[in-house]
Amino acid sequence: MNRALDRLEQGFSIQRQFTADAAHELRTPLAIVTAALDAMEGNGELTKLKSDVARMNRLVEQLLRVARLDAIALDMSATVDLTEIASSVVAAMAPWAIAQRRTIAFAGTEEPVRIKGNAYAIEDGIRNLIENAVAHSPPGEEVTVSVRRDASVSVFRPWSRRAG
């Protein structure tokens, strides 16, 4: 039984390493393509291509984050303030959202919302949700990140608020 578990763990380790290596290998060519596209002037096709490459860049960054988190044992016993984490992620991502022609708003509680967890993992999860919401929102719209007393986090895109 131990050998089977060891082989399973070895398989997971190989998979994690492959994901990390693939993401690292994709970063440089994507950076070169991004820089070349940014230097070009063009029509709607170029705009679509830039959008596709930006989406690929986000995916590579997400893969790297997952590989990093997967490679370490996370201490989930710390008490962290969810409001503070979410608000700092929103503040850090606001310039990026503005560069994407969107804005981010934060709505939190007045009191800290304390939970057990790993601050870095929670931060990465919220960042990922914000990236997706901003990327899929119409230009000029606002994405709202909300933390409630029940320790839930919501990321609303404009169309999702209207939908109910």
Side-chain angles (χ1 to χ4, degrees):
M1 182 69 165
N2 281 343
R3 278 201 290 190
L5 289 174
D6 289 343
R7 283 196 315 247
L8 184 62
E9 178 54 39
Q10 182 181 14
F12 284 136
S13 178
I14 290 168
Q15 183 180 11
R16 282 191 299 267
Q17 189 60 49
F18 172 79
T19 302
D21 290 346
H24 279 291
E25 290 297 319
L26 288 170
R27 272 181 126 181
T28 301
L30 279 173
I32 292 168
V33 169
T34 299
L37 289 174
D38 286 344
M40 293 180 183
E41 292 183 27
N43 57 19
E45 287 299 313
L46 182 61
T47 301
K48 183 183 178 324
L49 189 57
K50 286 180 180 181
S51 174
D52 290 343
V53 170
R55 189 171 64 248
M56 289 169 47
N57 276 310
R58 281 191 306 277
L59 180 59
V60 166
E61 289 304 317
Q62 289 170 354
L63 284 172
L64 282 171
R65 279 190 225 127
V66 167
R68 283 186 208 118
L69 287 174
D70 226 13
I72 59 173
L74 295 179
D75 178 10
M76 303 301 267
S77 65
T79 300
V80 297
D81 180 358
L82 189 57
T83 303
E84 182 181 316
I85 292 171
S87 127
S88 70
V89 172
V90 168
M93 294 190 74
W96 172 78
I98 291 168
Q100 306 302 309
R101 298 185 350 233
R102 280 100 169 153
T103 57
I104 304 175
F106 177 74
T109 62
E110 290 186 19
E111 298 294 320
V113 176
R114 300 202 189 281
I115 61 169
K116 294 272 188 199
N118 182 283
Y120 299 113
I122 295 166
E123 185 177 295
D124 277 345
I126 293 171
R127 182 181 300 111
N128 188 20
L129 290 171
I130 293 170
E131 284 176 357
N132 288 331
V134 168
H136 296 286
S137 294
E141 294 290 338
E142 181 175 81
V143 170
T144 303
V145 178
S146 174
V147 175
R148 291 185 204 70
R149 290 176 197 242
D150 67 356
S152 63
V153 176
S154 300
V155 178
F156 293 99
R157 299 186 321 207
W159 65 267
S160 65
R161 272 187 257 149
R162 284 188 219 116

